[in-house]
Short mmCIF file of all heavy atoms in Angstrom, two decimals:
data_model
loop_
_atom_site.label_atom_id
_atom_site.label_comp_id
_atom_site.label_asym_id
_atom_site.label_seq_id
_atom_site.Cartn_x
_atom_site.Cartn_y
_atom_site.Cartn_z
N CYS A 1 -4.89 4.54 5.90
CA CYS A 1 -5.42 3.36 6.58
C CYS A 1 -5.21 2.11 5.73
O CYS A 1 -4.83 1.06 6.24
CB CYS A 1 -6.90 3.57 6.89
SG CYS A 1 -7.60 2.30 7.94
N ALA A 2 -5.45 2.21 4.43
CA ALA A 2 -5.25 1.06 3.54
C ALA A 2 -3.79 0.61 3.56
O ALA A 2 -3.50 -0.59 3.65
CB ALA A 2 -5.67 1.42 2.11
N LEU A 3 -2.86 1.56 3.50
CA LEU A 3 -1.44 1.19 3.55
C LEU A 3 -1.08 0.61 4.91
O LEU A 3 -0.36 -0.39 4.99
CB LEU A 3 -0.56 2.39 3.22
CG LEU A 3 0.95 2.11 3.25
CD1 LEU A 3 1.33 0.99 2.27
CD2 LEU A 3 1.73 3.37 2.93
N ILE A 4 -1.58 1.20 5.97
CA ILE A 4 -1.26 0.70 7.31
C ILE A 4 -1.80 -0.72 7.51
O ILE A 4 -1.11 -1.57 8.08
CB ILE A 4 -1.80 1.67 8.39
CG1 ILE A 4 -0.96 2.95 8.36
CG2 ILE A 4 -1.79 1.04 9.77
CD1 ILE A 4 -1.57 4.12 9.11
N MET A 5 -3.01 -0.98 7.05
CA MET A 5 -3.56 -2.34 7.18
C MET A 5 -2.70 -3.34 6.43
O MET A 5 -2.40 -4.43 6.94
CB MET A 5 -5.01 -2.38 6.68
CG MET A 5 -5.99 -1.67 7.58
SD MET A 5 -6.03 -2.31 9.27
CE MET A 5 -6.68 -3.94 9.00
N ALA A 6 -2.29 -2.99 5.21
CA ALA A 6 -1.43 -3.90 4.44
C ALA A 6 -0.06 -4.03 5.10
O ALA A 6 0.53 -5.12 5.12
CB ALA A 6 -1.29 -3.39 3.00
N TRP A 7 0.45 -2.93 5.64
CA TRP A 7 1.77 -2.95 6.28
C TRP A 7 1.79 -3.88 7.49
O TRP A 7 2.69 -4.70 7.65
CB TRP A 7 2.16 -1.53 6.70
CG TRP A 7 3.54 -1.49 7.25
CD1 TRP A 7 3.91 -1.47 8.57
CD2 TRP A 7 4.75 -1.50 6.50
NE1 TRP A 7 5.27 -1.46 8.67
CE2 TRP A 7 5.81 -1.48 7.42
CE3 TRP A 7 5.03 -1.53 5.12
CZ2 TRP A 7 7.14 -1.49 7.01
CZ3 TRP A 7 6.36 -1.52 4.73
CH2 TRP A 7 7.39 -1.50 5.67
N TYR A 8 0.80 -3.75 8.35
CA TYR A 8 0.78 -4.54 9.57
C TYR A 8 0.11 -5.90 9.41
O TYR A 8 0.27 -6.76 10.29
CB TYR A 8 0.12 -3.75 10.71
CG TYR A 8 1.00 -2.63 11.21
CD1 TYR A 8 0.70 -1.31 10.92
CD2 TYR A 8 2.15 -2.90 11.93
CE1 TYR A 8 1.51 -0.28 11.37
CE2 TYR A 8 2.98 -1.87 12.37
CZ TYR A 8 2.65 -0.57 12.09
OH TYR A 8 3.47 0.46 12.52
N HIS A 9 -0.59 -6.11 8.30
CA HIS A 9 -1.25 -7.40 8.07
C HIS A 9 -1.07 -7.86 6.62
O HIS A 9 -2.04 -8.08 5.90
CB HIS A 9 -2.74 -7.32 8.42
CG HIS A 9 -2.98 -7.10 9.87
ND1 HIS A 9 -2.83 -8.10 10.80
CD2 HIS A 9 -3.30 -5.98 10.55
CE1 HIS A 9 -3.07 -7.61 12.00
NE2 HIS A 9 -3.36 -6.32 11.87
N PRO A 10 0.19 -8.04 6.18
CA PRO A 10 0.41 -8.46 4.79
C PRO A 10 -0.10 -9.88 4.52
O PRO A 10 -0.24 -10.26 3.37
CB PRO A 10 1.94 -8.36 4.63
CG PRO A 10 2.48 -8.49 6.01
CD PRO A 10 1.44 -7.85 6.91
N GLU A 11 -0.40 -10.63 5.58
CA GLU A 11 -0.98 -11.96 5.38
C GLU A 11 -2.43 -11.84 4.89
O GLU A 11 -2.99 -12.78 4.34
CB GLU A 11 -0.90 -12.79 6.67
CG GLU A 11 -1.90 -12.42 7.76
CD GLU A 11 -1.54 -11.17 8.58
OE1 GLU A 11 -0.55 -10.48 8.28
OE2 GLU A 11 -2.27 -10.90 9.55
N LEU A 12 -3.05 -10.67 5.06
CA LEU A 12 -4.43 -10.45 4.64
C LEU A 12 -4.55 -9.51 3.44
O LEU A 12 -5.46 -9.66 2.63
CB LEU A 12 -5.24 -9.84 5.80
CG LEU A 12 -5.36 -10.69 7.06
CD1 LEU A 12 -6.04 -9.90 8.17
CD2 LEU A 12 -6.10 -11.98 6.77
N TYR A 13 -3.67 -8.51 3.36
CA TYR A 13 -3.78 -7.47 2.33
C TYR A 13 -2.47 -7.35 1.56
O TYR A 13 -1.41 -7.24 2.17
CB TYR A 13 -4.11 -6.11 2.96
CG TYR A 13 -5.30 -6.15 3.89
CD1 TYR A 13 -5.14 -6.17 5.26
CD2 TYR A 13 -6.58 -6.16 3.36
CE1 TYR A 13 -6.22 -6.21 6.11
CE2 TYR A 13 -7.67 -6.19 4.20
CZ TYR A 13 -7.49 -6.23 5.58
OH TYR A 13 -8.57 -6.26 6.40
N HIS A 14 -2.56 -7.37 0.23
CA HIS A 14 -1.35 -7.31 -0.59
C HIS A 14 -1.37 -6.15 -1.58
O HIS A 14 -0.34 -5.82 -2.14
CB HIS A 14 -1.18 -8.60 -1.40
CG HIS A 14 -1.11 -9.82 -0.55
ND1 HIS A 14 0.03 -10.18 0.12
CD2 HIS A 14 -2.04 -10.75 -0.26
CE1 HIS A 14 -0.20 -11.30 0.78
NE2 HIS A 14 -1.45 -11.66 0.58
N ARG A 15 -2.53 -5.57 -1.82
CA ARG A 15 -2.65 -4.53 -2.84
C ARG A 15 -3.25 -3.28 -2.20
O ARG A 15 -4.20 -3.37 -1.44
CB ARG A 15 -3.54 -5.00 -3.98
CG ARG A 15 -2.84 -6.06 -4.82
CD ARG A 15 -3.83 -6.98 -5.52
NE ARG A 15 -3.16 -7.90 -6.40
CZ ARG A 15 -2.45 -8.95 -6.03
NH1 ARG A 15 -2.27 -9.19 -4.76
NH2 ARG A 15 -1.90 -9.75 -6.91
N VAL A 16 -2.65 -2.13 -2.54
CA VAL A 16 -3.07 -0.87 -1.93
C VAL A 16 -3.28 0.17 -3.02
O VAL A 16 -2.41 0.35 -3.88
CB VAL A 16 -2.01 -0.35 -0.93
CG1 VAL A 16 -2.41 1.00 -0.37
CG2 VAL A 16 -1.77 -1.36 0.18
N LEU A 17 -4.42 0.84 -3.01
CA LEU A 17 -4.67 2.00 -3.86
C LEU A 17 -4.82 3.20 -2.95
O LEU A 17 -5.64 3.18 -2.03
CB LEU A 17 -5.97 1.84 -4.66
CG LEU A 17 -5.86 1.08 -5.96
CD1 LEU A 17 -5.89 -0.40 -5.71
CD2 LEU A 17 -6.98 1.48 -6.86
N SER A 18 -4.03 4.23 -3.21
CA SER A 18 -4.00 5.41 -2.35
C SER A 18 -4.22 6.66 -3.18
O SER A 18 -3.43 6.97 -4.06
CB SER A 18 -2.63 5.48 -1.65
OG SER A 18 -2.44 6.74 -1.07
N PHE A 19 -5.29 7.39 -2.88
CA PHE A 19 -5.54 8.69 -3.50
C PHE A 19 -5.35 9.75 -2.41
O PHE A 19 -5.99 9.68 -1.36
CB PHE A 19 -6.97 8.77 -4.04
CG PHE A 19 -7.21 7.93 -5.25
CD1 PHE A 19 -7.78 6.67 -5.15
CD2 PHE A 19 -6.85 8.39 -6.51
CE1 PHE A 19 -8.00 5.90 -6.27
CE2 PHE A 19 -7.06 7.62 -7.65
CZ PHE A 19 -7.64 6.37 -7.53
N SER A 20 -4.47 10.72 -2.64
CA SER A 20 -4.22 11.81 -1.70
C SER A 20 -3.95 11.29 -0.28
O SER A 20 -4.53 11.76 0.70
CB SER A 20 -5.41 12.78 -1.66
OG SER A 20 -5.61 13.39 -2.90
N GLY A 21 -3.07 10.32 -0.18
CA GLY A 21 -2.79 9.68 1.10
C GLY A 21 -2.35 10.64 2.19
O GLY A 21 -1.50 11.48 1.98
N THR A 22 -2.95 10.49 3.36
CA THR A 22 -2.61 11.31 4.52
C THR A 22 -1.44 10.65 5.24
O THR A 22 -1.59 10.09 6.32
CB THR A 22 -3.83 11.45 5.45
OG1 THR A 22 -4.90 11.99 4.71
CG2 THR A 22 -3.54 12.39 6.62
N PHE A 23 -0.27 10.68 4.60
CA PHE A 23 0.93 10.09 5.19
C PHE A 23 1.68 11.14 6.01
O PHE A 23 2.88 11.30 5.90
CB PHE A 23 1.82 9.51 4.08
CG PHE A 23 1.10 8.50 3.23
CD1 PHE A 23 1.06 8.64 1.86
CD2 PHE A 23 0.46 7.42 3.81
CE1 PHE A 23 0.39 7.72 1.07
CE2 PHE A 23 -0.20 6.49 3.04
CZ PHE A 23 -0.24 6.64 1.67
N VAL A 24 0.92 11.88 6.81
CA VAL A 24 1.45 12.96 7.63
C VAL A 24 1.21 12.63 9.10
O VAL A 24 0.67 11.58 9.43
CB VAL A 24 0.81 14.32 7.25
CG1 VAL A 24 1.13 14.68 5.81
CG2 VAL A 24 -0.69 14.31 7.48
N ASN A 25 1.57 13.52 9.98
CA ASN A 25 1.43 13.30 11.41
C ASN A 25 0.05 13.73 11.88
O ASN A 25 -0.15 14.85 12.31
CB ASN A 25 2.52 14.05 12.17
CG ASN A 25 2.53 13.69 13.64
OD1 ASN A 25 1.80 12.83 14.09
ND2 ASN A 25 3.39 14.36 14.39
N GLN A 26 -0.92 12.82 11.81
CA GLN A 26 -2.29 13.11 12.22
C GLN A 26 -2.76 12.16 13.32
O GLN A 26 -3.94 12.07 13.57
CB GLN A 26 -3.24 12.96 11.02
CG GLN A 26 -3.00 13.92 9.89
CD GLN A 26 -3.48 15.30 10.20
OE1 GLN A 26 -2.76 16.09 10.78
NE2 GLN A 26 -4.68 15.62 9.81
N GLN A 27 -1.86 11.41 13.94
CA GLN A 27 -2.29 10.39 14.89
C GLN A 27 -2.88 10.98 16.16
O GLN A 27 -2.46 12.02 16.63
CB GLN A 27 -1.14 9.47 15.23
CG GLN A 27 -0.09 10.08 16.13
CD GLN A 27 0.94 9.07 16.57
OE1 GLN A 27 0.66 7.89 16.65
NE2 GLN A 27 2.14 9.54 16.84
N TRP A 28 -3.87 10.30 16.67
CA TRP A 28 -4.42 10.59 17.99
C TRP A 28 -5.16 9.36 18.44
O TRP A 28 -5.97 8.84 17.68
CB TRP A 28 -5.36 11.79 17.96
CG TRP A 28 -5.82 12.13 19.33
CD1 TRP A 28 -7.03 11.82 19.89
CD2 TRP A 28 -5.06 12.79 20.34
NE1 TRP A 28 -7.08 12.24 21.17
CE2 TRP A 28 -5.87 12.84 21.49
CE3 TRP A 28 -3.78 13.30 20.41
CZ2 TRP A 28 -5.44 13.40 22.68
CZ3 TRP A 28 -3.36 13.86 21.58
CH2 TRP A 28 -4.20 13.91 22.71
N PRO A 29 -4.90 8.83 19.60
CA PRO A 29 -3.97 9.34 20.58
C PRO A 29 -2.51 9.06 20.20
O PRO A 29 -2.23 8.24 19.33
CB PRO A 29 -4.34 8.58 21.86
CG PRO A 29 -4.91 7.29 21.36
CD PRO A 29 -5.59 7.62 20.06
N TYR A 30 -1.62 9.73 20.85
CA TYR A 30 -0.18 9.61 20.60
C TYR A 30 0.29 8.19 20.85
O TYR A 30 -0.11 7.54 21.81
CB TYR A 30 0.57 10.58 21.52
CG TYR A 30 2.07 10.49 21.39
CD1 TYR A 30 2.72 11.07 20.31
CD2 TYR A 30 2.82 9.82 22.35
CE1 TYR A 30 4.10 10.99 20.19
CE2 TYR A 30 4.21 9.74 22.24
CZ TYR A 30 4.83 10.32 21.15
OH TYR A 30 6.19 10.23 21.03
N ASN A 31 1.13 7.69 19.95
CA ASN A 31 1.72 6.36 20.08
C ASN A 31 3.24 6.51 20.05
O ASN A 31 3.79 6.91 19.02
CB ASN A 31 1.24 5.46 18.95
CG ASN A 31 1.80 4.06 19.05
OD1 ASN A 31 2.71 3.78 19.80
ND2 ASN A 31 1.24 3.16 18.25
N PRO A 32 3.93 6.20 21.13
CA PRO A 32 5.38 6.38 21.15
C PRO A 32 6.12 5.51 20.13
O PRO A 32 7.24 5.82 19.75
CB PRO A 32 5.79 6.03 22.59
CG PRO A 32 4.64 5.30 23.17
CD PRO A 32 3.41 5.70 22.40
N ALA A 33 5.48 4.43 19.66
CA ALA A 33 6.12 3.58 18.64
C ALA A 33 6.18 4.28 17.28
O ALA A 33 7.04 3.97 16.45
CB ALA A 33 5.36 2.26 18.51
N THR A 34 5.26 5.22 17.05
CA THR A 34 5.25 6.01 15.81
C THR A 34 5.04 7.47 16.18
O THR A 34 3.96 8.03 15.97
CB THR A 34 4.13 5.53 14.86
OG1 THR A 34 2.88 5.55 15.56
CG2 THR A 34 4.39 4.14 14.32
N PRO A 35 6.05 8.13 16.72
CA PRO A 35 5.87 9.47 17.26
C PRO A 35 5.47 10.53 16.23
O PRO A 35 4.91 11.55 16.60
CB PRO A 35 7.25 9.80 17.86
CG PRO A 35 8.20 8.86 17.24
CD PRO A 35 7.40 7.64 16.89
N ARG A 36 5.70 10.28 14.94
CA ARG A 36 5.31 11.25 13.92
C ARG A 36 4.17 10.71 13.06
O ARG A 36 4.00 11.07 11.91
CB ARG A 36 6.50 11.64 13.06
CG ARG A 36 7.58 12.31 13.94
CD ARG A 36 8.69 12.86 13.16
NE ARG A 36 8.36 14.25 12.83
CZ ARG A 36 9.00 14.95 11.92
NH1 ARG A 36 9.99 14.44 11.26
NH2 ARG A 36 8.65 16.20 11.68
N GLY A 37 3.36 9.81 13.63
CA GLY A 37 2.20 9.29 12.92
C GLY A 37 2.59 8.57 11.64
O GLY A 37 3.59 7.86 11.58
N CYS A 38 1.81 8.77 10.60
CA CYS A 38 2.04 8.09 9.33
C CYS A 38 3.25 8.65 8.59
O CYS A 38 3.72 8.07 7.62
CB CYS A 38 0.78 8.16 8.47
SG CYS A 38 0.66 6.79 7.32
#
């Protein structure tokens, strides 16, 4: 979530700390723009 917020809103967030990031396919509901989630 921290990375996604910075990714889509770099005008607000510039620094990201990620511990055990869930950069896997866990999205729900399905979004065709990102079919494999994170």
Side-chain angles (χ1 to χ4, degrees):
C1 189
L3 180 58
I4 289 166
M5 289 302 294
W7 185 260
Y8 288 108
H9 294 284
E11 76 281 5
L12 299 173
Y13 308 102
H14 302 282
R15 289 154 175 73
V16 176
L17 275 82
S18 166
F19 290 97
S20 297
T22 304
F23 304 125
V24 298
N25 188 4
Q26 297 285 87
Q27 73 173 332
W28 185 259
Y30 177 77
N31 181 347
T34 54
R36 298 187 90 194
C38 207

